[in-house]
Amino acid sequence: GIPSHGRLYVGYSSGVITYIDIYQGFEEKEFVTTPHNLTGLTGVDSGVFAMNGNDLYSSRALYTYDGTGNLADRWNFQTDWSAEYVWDPVYRRIYHLRDHWSPNDIRYMEIHPDLRVGDVVDSPYHGQIEFHHPVRVSPSGKLIAIGTGRVFNESLQSVDNLATGYVDAVWVGRFLYTVASTIAGSSRVGWASGAGLDSVGYVSVDGEPLAILHVPQGVVVVTDVAGIPQFTLLDTRLGLPVGHEELAGILIVFLGIWRLRSMRSISAFR
């Protein structure tokens, strides 16, 4: 959903970060410029977390800025580039994978209320588990799913496996909705719930999966049908399609862009 501050942050590879205040029109406004290339971006409270670096193998630094653009913290990194950084407001953590480091791993960084970086914690699995994006944190912060279907608890202990991996997933209360590819070239939307994330049901949707989004009416599954994005709305109470819109549905597109901003760091750049 859209944070209470109502800002959509946009990062450019040049290091420029801008924002759009959706409650005050859709004008893009300058926020801050980081010293080097941007390689990662996510919202943290009313501010942002930004990863900086010239390339994947150079020295990198992370920055946190408050909502007015003031620098809150700076920290040098050597090995922590990730394709996405996911904010958990409950435990005040940023989860990410270590994408260009072998073996890969999942870790989190604690972010204090003043936006200074605290402890950095890895999982205990170094080469024992396969890691893939995207990372999806439950509303309670107690369960963290990754693209392979593996589920961790808040201590980064592996506690479960979903029936399949996924291209994208979204939590709706205690339910985790996932979308995955099928051999037939369609998308399989499944949902699971409970402490063990037991499978509850699934439904097929036309097209190759791109994303799944939560909206007040249910979940929207975004698929690629012959090169054209299709948006299918599913009723979360029944798991049944209740309609779909083409790309011209500007409201759904905006919600999709907003969600993609937090899904993958690359979507925050242009």
Side-chain angles (χ1 to χ4, degrees):
I2 297 173
S4 58
H5 56 72
R7 284 184 176 183
L8 170 63
Y9 286 103
V10 181
Y12 295 82
S13 59
S14 63
V16 173
I17 300 173
T18 63
Y19 71 91
I20 298 170
D21 189 332
I22 65 168
Y23 299 130
Q24 298 181 13
F26 292 93
E27 180 185 356
E28 187 177 11
K29 300 178 180 179
E30 184 177 350
F31 181 65
V32 73
T33 300
T34 61
H36 302 291
N37 307 31
L38 263 179
T39 55
L41 180 69
T42 194
V44 176
D45 290 339
S46 61
V48 298
F49 162 95
M51 181 64 75
N52 232 195
N54 293 325
D55 56 58
L56 299 185
Y57 301 98
S58 68
S59 296
R60 282 168 295 283
L62 69 80
Y63 301 85
T64 55
Y65 297 91
D66 66 20
T68 63
N70 291 319
L71 180 66
D73 201 3
R74 181 185 187 278
W75 197 6
N76 290 324
F77 270 78
Q78 292 291 332
T79 61
D80 279 80
W81 182 83
S82 177
E84 66 173 352
Y85 299 88
V86 180
W87 170 238
D88 168 24
V90 177
Y91 284 89
R92 302 195 58 84
R93 297 171 176 176
I94 293 176
Y95 287 91
H96 64 92
L97 303 186
R98 306 178 74 183
D99 286 327
H100 76 288
W101 196 251
S102 182
N104 204 337
D105 199 0
I106 186 171
R107 69 166 28 176
Y108 65 76
M109 294 175 279
E110 294 181 343
I111 304 295
H112 297 304
D114 62 0
L115 299 186
R116 296 188 66 82
V117 179
D119 291 340
V120 178
V121 178
D122 295 351
S123 85
Y125 311 104
H126 304 287
Q128 305 170 41
I129 289 178
E130 188 176 4
F131 293 91
H132 290 300
H133 295 283
V135 177
R136 295 289 172 260
V137 184
S138 68
S140 68
K142 292 185 177 299
L143 293 175
I144 302 95
I146 63 173
T148 57
R150 181 80 64 166
V151 181
F152 302 86
N153 63 17
E154 72 274 21
S155 300
L156 295 184
Q157 298 286 333
S158 177
V159 294
D160 202 5
N161 276 299
L162 301 173
T164 65
Y166 57 78
V167 172
D168 193 19
V170 63
W171 289 90
V172 182
R174 63 188 179 88
F175 288 86
L176 178 64
Y177 288 80
T178 62
V179 61
S181 297
T182 69
I183 297 176
S186 61
S187 296
R188 181 184 188 275
V189 181
W191 52 99
S193 71
L197 282 180
D198 298 321
S199 180
V200 176
Y202 69 92
V203 65
S204 294
V205 177
D206 291 340
E208 289 290 335
L210 297 176
I212 186 167
L213 323 167
H214 180 216
V215 296
Q217 298 83 0
V219 295
V220 175
V221 182
V222 187
T223 55
D224 182 332
V225 179
I228 300 174
Q230 176 175 286
F231 297 81
T232 302
L233 177 63
L234 299 180
D235 188 332
T236 52
R237 296 168 299 175
L238 303 174
L240 298 174
V242 295
H244 65 81
E245 300 288 342
E246 297 298 330
L247 187 59
I250 188 167
L251 179 59
I252 293 296
V253 171
F254 179 76
L255 289 170
I257 291 172
W258 181 265
R259 184 68 180 94
L260 287 169
R261 188 274 311 163
S262 61
M263 281 171 49
R264 304 181 181 89
S265 59
I266 191 171
S267 68
F269 304 111
R270 64 180 183 184

